[in-house]
């Protein structure tokens, strides 16, 4: 807050040599400065447009504090709801009026504290409290995955009950979805579509980290008449950093734990026409037994490529049916040829070891294949196949490479600039 300095006469104690007489003021005692006085009740100086007693304010109706006396002014206003969130507002340069610049949260209570000065510079204060009406339309946010321990490649997800479009509305959502981890990391949300967001760090999560995901959107207006509901927070942990790197051209998989090789396995991957996808995938699920049919990937029953097989120790990496699994029928090709229909096959013993070693969220990366690149979002978690710069383009807060700011939303306390 900028003030025009009030001119005062100051006597330096070290220069005071005159004899003290009755009525003189010694150094360290009050000098009569109005600003040093206890604030008085400013009720007579200001007016507040809040709702009448026993009534509630509509969230879309701005609140306003104004000065009633010409020589008085407002010096500061804070409006805080029951969740501890500051309401953005703006104070006129002359200190005569403060008004909110963002919608109030629905279904909560606000405490508004006003500081003033009268014509003599004496401080005043006044506190108001009121409630807001409940919303009629709600946006529900559901976090994923379920609580538990995951691999370092596991993205976080937020599913919305209604579509959210427009940069400002999406920025409001992102700002309210808070991710904290220990150790701390740099991360960002990505809008997969109007109802789905994914969150990932710049690099993989640290091993053995704790992750807290919560929403601070309760009662906040997102867009139109849509206000966010309360969301149950989510806590996750990560295990060791497990990475399985398959080189399709070498027919070999190298498995690392926390950067050190713990096993090298001979494998077979997709043959020509069924080439395994390159890129980073994330373990989606583990299924001890799966019946695999060619029809599930578009192969006609009875054709030369048709198959119907019982498969054990199957670790899923795409929703379309790509697995790392036991393939005892191809042991002669494992380590020297690619003969599968896109999955990574290995011996039964190796597949069981792999199945027991990995967990959901662990990294399975394929290089050296003639196949296409794993897509980011439509067939599992291919999120890591986007560079960090590409990932940030999917954020309403960082989409153009610079943080998105909206002074009407970000700033909770503005003072006159003179």
């Amino acid at each position: 807050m900028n003030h025009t300095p009030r001119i005062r006469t100051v006597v330096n104690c070290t220069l005071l040599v005159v004899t003290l007489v009755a009525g003189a003021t010694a150094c360290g005692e009050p000098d009569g400065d109005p600003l040093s006085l206890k604030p008085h009740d400013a009720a007579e100086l200001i007016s507040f447009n809040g709702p009448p007693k026993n009534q509630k304010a509509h969230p879309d109706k701005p609140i306003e504090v104004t000065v009633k006396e010409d020589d008085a002014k407002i010096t500061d206003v804070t409006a805080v709801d029951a969740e501890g969130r500051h309401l953005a507002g703006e104070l006129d340069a002359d200190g005569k009026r403060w008004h909110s610049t963002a919608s109030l949260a629905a279904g909560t209570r606000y405490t508004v504290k006003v500081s003033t000065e009268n014509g003599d510079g004496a401080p005043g204060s006044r506190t108001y409290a009121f409630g807001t009406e409940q919303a009629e339309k709600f946006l529900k946010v559901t976090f994923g995955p379920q609580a538990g321990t995951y691999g370092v490649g596991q993205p976080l997800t937020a599913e919305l009950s209604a579509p959210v479009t427009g940069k400002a509305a999406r920025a409001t959502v992102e700002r309210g979805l808070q991710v904290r981890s220990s150790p701390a990391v740099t991360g960002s949300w990505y809008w997969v579509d109007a109802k789905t967001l994914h969150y990932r760090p710049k690099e993989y999560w640290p091993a053995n980290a704790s992750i807290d995901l919560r929403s601070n959107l309760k009662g906040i207006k997102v867009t139109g008449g849509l206000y966010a509901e309360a969301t149950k927070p989510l806590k996750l942990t990560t295990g060791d950093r497990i990475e399985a790197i398959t080189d399709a051209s070498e027919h070999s998989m190298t498995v690392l734990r926390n950067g050190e090789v713990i096993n090298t396995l001979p494998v077979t991957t997709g043959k020509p026409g069924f080439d395994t996808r390159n890129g980073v995938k994330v373990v989606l699920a583990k299924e001890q037994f799966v019946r695999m049919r060619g029809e599930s990937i578009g192969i006609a029953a009875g054709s030369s490529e048709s198959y119907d097989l019982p498969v054990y120790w199957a670790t899923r990496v795409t929703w379309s049916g790509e697995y790392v699994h036991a393939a005892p029928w191809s042991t002669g090709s494992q380590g020297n040829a690619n003969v599968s229909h896109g999955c990574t096959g290995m011996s039964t013993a190796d597949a069981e070891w792999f199945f027991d070693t990995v967990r959901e969220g662990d990294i399975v990366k394929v290089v050296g294949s003639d196949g296409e690149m794993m897509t980011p979002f439509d067939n599992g978690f291919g999120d890591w196949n986007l560079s960090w710069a590409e990932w940030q383009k999917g954020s309403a807060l960082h989409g153009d490479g610079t943080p998105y700011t909206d002074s009407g939303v970000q700033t909770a306390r503005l003072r006159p600039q003179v």
Side-chain angles (χ1 to χ4, degrees):
M1 175 173 65
N2 296 323
H3 292 290
T4 302
R6 298 181 182 280
I7 300 174
R8 306 185 183 92
T9 301
V10 179
V11 180
N12 190 314
C13 293
T14 61
L15 300 179
L16 183 60
V17 294
V18 298
T19 302
L20 294 175
V21 297
T25 301
C27 290
E29 295 182 0
D31 62 0
D33 182 359
L35 292 177
S36 68
L37 301 176
K38 182 179 180 180
H40 62 270
D41 187 348
E44 299 300 320
L45 294 182
I46 57 177
S47 62
F48 175 59
N49 74 335
K53 187 177 181 180
N54 298 325
Q55 295 187 29
K56 295 183 177 182
H58 191 282
D60 275 344
K61 182 181 179 181
I63 58 172
E64 180 180 87
V65 183
T66 55
V67 170
K68 293 191 287 188
E69 294 188 5
D70 291 341
D71 58 352
K73 65 180 179 180
I74 301 166
T75 58
D76 191 27
V77 178
T78 60
V80 183
D81 70 10
E83 304 293 323
R85 299 171 298 201
H86 284 248
L87 177 67
E90 186 173 72
L91 180 60
D92 290 352
D94 59 4
K96 300 299 183 183
R97 173 179 175 265
W98 178 94
H99 66 282
S100 59
T101 56
S103 295
L104 283 68
T108 190
R109 287 193 63 80
Y110 277 91
T111 300
V112 182
K113 296 182 179 180
V114 185
S115 299
T116 65
E117 285 182 14
N118 64 17
D120 296 325
S125 66
R126 184 68 174 174
T127 298
Y128 302 94
F130 64 95
T132 56
E133 297 175 0
Q134 292 286 352
E136 295 182 359
K137 294 172 58 180
F138 291 99
L139 178 72
K140 182 178 181 180
V141 182
T142 303
F143 291 144
Q146 296 181 350
T149 300
Y150 293 85
V152 299
Q154 179 66 47
L156 306 178
T157 63
E159 295 290 338
L160 310 182
S161 60
V164 173
T165 59
K167 190 171 184 179
R170 289 187 170 189
T172 297
V173 171
E174 282 189 55
R175 197 177 289 115
L177 302 182
Q178 301 173 345
V179 180
R180 293 184 175 89
S181 69
S182 179
V185 297
T186 298
S188 178
W189 289 100
Y190 189 106
W191 287 82
V192 177
D193 55 45
K195 296 175 67 176
T196 308
L197 296 87
H198 285 193
Y199 184 98
R200 50 154 272 207
K202 184 177 181 180
E203 307 292 343
Y204 298 142
W205 296 103
N208 305 305
S210 60
I211 305 165
D212 290 299
L213 174 56
R214 62 185 61 245
S215 171
N216 196 33
L217 288 171
K218 179 184 176 182
I220 296 296
K221 181 179 180 179
V222 176
T223 181
L226 194 62
Y227 291 77
E229 280 187 340
T231 300
K232 182 180 179 181
L234 174 65
K235 291 188 176 183
L236 305 175
T237 56
T238 60
D240 288 339
R241 176 169 171 157
I242 301 294
E243 301 168 85
I245 303 174
T246 298
D247 188 334
S249 64
E250 296 293 330
H251 321 293
S252 176
M253 172 188 282
T254 302
V255 183
L256 301 92
R257 175 182 283 119
N258 299 324
E260 296 188 3
V261 175
I262 58 173
N263 211 341
T264 301
L265 310 173
V267 299
T268 183
T269 63
K271 60 186 176 181
F274 298 93
D275 301 278
T276 304
R277 299 170 184 83
N278 285 295
V280 178
K281 303 151 194 176
V282 172
V283 173
L284 301 175
K286 299 196 298 180
E287 303 164 53
Q288 187 173 353
F289 171 78
V290 181
R291 185 176 179 183
M292 293 188 179
R293 299 180 177 88
E295 294 95 315
S296 65
I297 60 171
I299 298 174
S303 68
S304 60
E305 295 292 346
S306 178
Y307 59 88
D308 186 344
L309 296 168
V311 175
Y312 293 89
W313 310 115
T315 300
R316 181 187 284 270
V317 294
T318 74
W319 294 125
S320 64
E322 184 181 328
Y323 289 83
V324 177
H325 64 77
W329 54 86
S330 65
T331 53
S333 298
Q334 294 163 17
N336 56 69
N338 291 324
V339 297
S340 83
H341 288 90
C343 291
T344 298
M346 56 184 63
S347 71
T348 299
D350 287 346
E352 183 177 3
W353 176 88
F354 185 80
F355 186 97
D356 291 339
T357 300
V358 300
R359 57 164 49 98
E360 287 184 42
D362 281 337
I363 300 300
V364 177
K365 183 178 181 179
V366 176
V367 299
S369 171
D370 291 331
E372 298 179 352
M373 181 64 67
M374 171 71 173
T375 52
F377 306 115
D378 61 353
N379 197 14
F381 291 126
D383 304 46
W384 301 100
N385 295 304
L386 295 179
S387 69
W388 182 239
E390 291 171 326
W391 185 264
Q392 287 192 299
K393 290 179 181 179
S395 165
L397 297 178
H398 307 284
D400 59 359
T402 58
Y404 174 77
T405 58
D406 179 348
S407 60
V409 174
Q410 293 281 70
T411 306
R413 300 174 67 183
L414 296 179
R415 299 174 174 82
Q417 301 296 314
V418 294

